[in-house]
Amino acid sequence: MKSIIYVNYSPYENSGKILDYLLENSDLCFLFSLGFHNLKEKKKYNKLSIFSNGKLSKEFSLFQLPSSQKLLFISLPVRSFITFIQILIYTYWLKGKYGKIDTYFTVNAFTAWAGNIMKRFGLVSKTIFWVWDFYPPIHDDKIIMLMRQIYWQFDKISSHSDRVVFVNQRLLDLRKDIGIIPKNVNYPIIPIGTDKFSNLNLKDKKNMILGFIGVVKRSTGLDIVFNNANQIIKDFPNARFEVIGSGPDIEYFKSRAKNSVIPTTFHGYLEGESFNQVLGECSIGIAPYLPDPSNVSHYGDAGKVKRYLSLGLPVIITDIFEFAKEIDKNKAGEIIKYDNPKELIKAIGKVMLNYKQYQKNALKLGGKLYYKKIYPEMFKF
């Protein structure tokens, strides 16, 4: 690829090493990084980064409308409009400076719609929508439900991008079943990829350390650890819990941790080697998503699980993600029911009892999804 615009929301820009892949395979990469949740204090999320031959050459801060957590969703239309205008203006500028851009690539329905507008204006040649999610248009909060219903309209029209790729079969089947894409047309399925690390130490781990990465919100199921902390400590006296990331419910979980018997460290948002060092010390990666019909995880791909597998961490996961079946099939971890505490304790015990085998299986499964192996198909027209 000569030039590509890539648009995504922080902190997911390099989920599955996708940004690394783009930098490795393009002469010019223009990254629009956008903020949604407040994950890092006093940080400007919205920015344009220009990479030349894989190296950062320029960076511009974009306007970011301040928004409290309470007003996050009700202000979303205004914030989205501002985002669109900025992407449009800067894309005009990029075309003037660097020439017509080959590809516009994104994972979000709204920004995919924006990309198709850019193509109509002659700013980009081709558009790719890598479909990561589906937001069920139901929610207890009426404002969130309304925003999801609006987003769904963008999802429908963005399915007419030049190339549409899905992260799993469930997302593809959903759109075919409701008629927004033809049932007789084949679409590629490319999951979020994994990385490879050459210095992993494969050995039994004496201490049981649970690790979690991602946006810290209740729907990700962290309550399951604190709800069962007494039994975890009883069976595994040296157990610890390491949480990497931040999010809208961070203070809630910090409060729970203060009153819990399981030692818990909140590392906040980490990058690079710090990220891998903390997670690499863990024994098990957890993805205990809540079985709520409004939970978007029913249809998405488990980016955090791919990071666990890359580091050889066996995974304990609820049966929400479609990818949970692969964890079970490949014996790379254990599937549990969220509402059955005995299953969590049993799963931890099974993994720790036969740790090396679970670790090997995790690495083997991760190897099948190595990003350099699976991503080239994404950009074939």
Side-chain angles (χ1 to χ4, degrees), residues 63-186:
F63 176 76
Q64 188 169 327
L65 183 69
S67 177
S68 67
Q69 196 62 38
K70 290 182 179 180
L71 298 177
L72 188 65
F73 285 94
I74 199 169
S75 65
L76 188 55
V78 175
R79 292 189 292 120
S80 297
F81 177 73
I82 292 172
T83 294
F84 168 70
I85 293 299
Q86 291 187 99
I87 293 176
L88 178 62
I89 291 172
Y90 271 98
T91 301
Y92 264 113
W93 177 79
L94 290 170
K95 182 191 175 186
K97 185 172 180 62
Y98 299 99
K100 191 170 183 178
I101 297 155
D102 297 331
T103 308
Y104 179 102
F105 171 63
T106 190
V107 303
N108 175 272
F110 173 74
T111 53
W113 167 82
N116 290 331
I117 297 296
M118 307 297 164
K119 184 184 176 183
R120 286 186 186 181
F121 289 169
L123 302 177
V124 300
S125 298
K126 299 174 183 176
T127 58
I128 302 175
F129 180 21
W130 187 19
V131 185
W132 270 14
D133 50 42
F134 166 67
Y135 290 87
I138 56 172
H139 199 278
D140 292 338
D141 188 314
K142 299 302 181 183
I143 297 296
I144 295 178
M145 184 170 69
L146 176 61
M147 292 303 106
R148 288 186 175 187
Q149 290 172 347
I150 294 173
Y151 180 82
W152 179 230
Q153 305 312 308
F154 288 103
D155 207 322
K156 291 178 183 178
I157 57 179
S158 295
S159 297
H160 300 294
S161 299
D162 291 315
R163 185 160 174 79
V164 181
V165 182
F166 294 86
V167 293
N168 60 44
Q169 188 68 42
R170 185 179 291 177
L171 278 171
L172 174 57
D173 290 343
L174 169 73
R175 283 162 174 78
K176 284 189 173 184
D177 289 343
I178 60 182
I180 67 170
I181 57 175
K183 289 191 175 183
N184 60 345
V185 176
N186 292 323

Side-chain angles (χ1 to χ4, degrees), residues 224-261:
I224 197 172
V225 175
F226 300 112
N227 290 346
N228 298 284
N230 290 336
Q231 190 61 49
I232 291 173
I233 291 298
K234 181 179 178 181
D235 292 1
F236 308 95
N238 295 319
R240 302 201 319 267
F241 188 25
E242 306 290 332
V243 179
I244 301 172
S246 188
D249 294 323
I250 186 69
E251 295 304 323
Y252 164 78
F253 285 112
K254 283 183 176 181
S255 177
R256 288 219 65 183
K258 286 180 181 179
N259 299 304
S260 176
V261 296

Side-chain angles (χ1 to χ4, degrees), residues 28-58:
L28 290 167
C29 179
F30 311 113
L31 168 65
F32 286 93
S33 180
L34 309 174
F36 191 78
H37 291 294
N38 296 322
L39 301 178
K40 287 183 275 185
E41 293 182 2
K42 299 181 181 179
K43 174 180 172 59
K44 287 187 70 66
Y45 292 98
N46 294 12
K47 60 184 179 181
L48 165 62
S49 302
I50 298 176
F51 297 89
S52 177
N53 296 314
K55 303 295 183 181
L56 179 65
S57 61
K58 293 181 182 179

Side-chain angles (χ1 to χ4, degrees), residues 201-203 205 312 314 355-363:
N201 190 9
L202 299 180
K203 65 178 183 179
K205 296 191 177 182
Y355 191 80
K356 279 187 181 179
Q357 190 58 52
Y358 276 99
Q359 191 177 44
K360 288 179 181 178
N361 293 343
L363 286 171

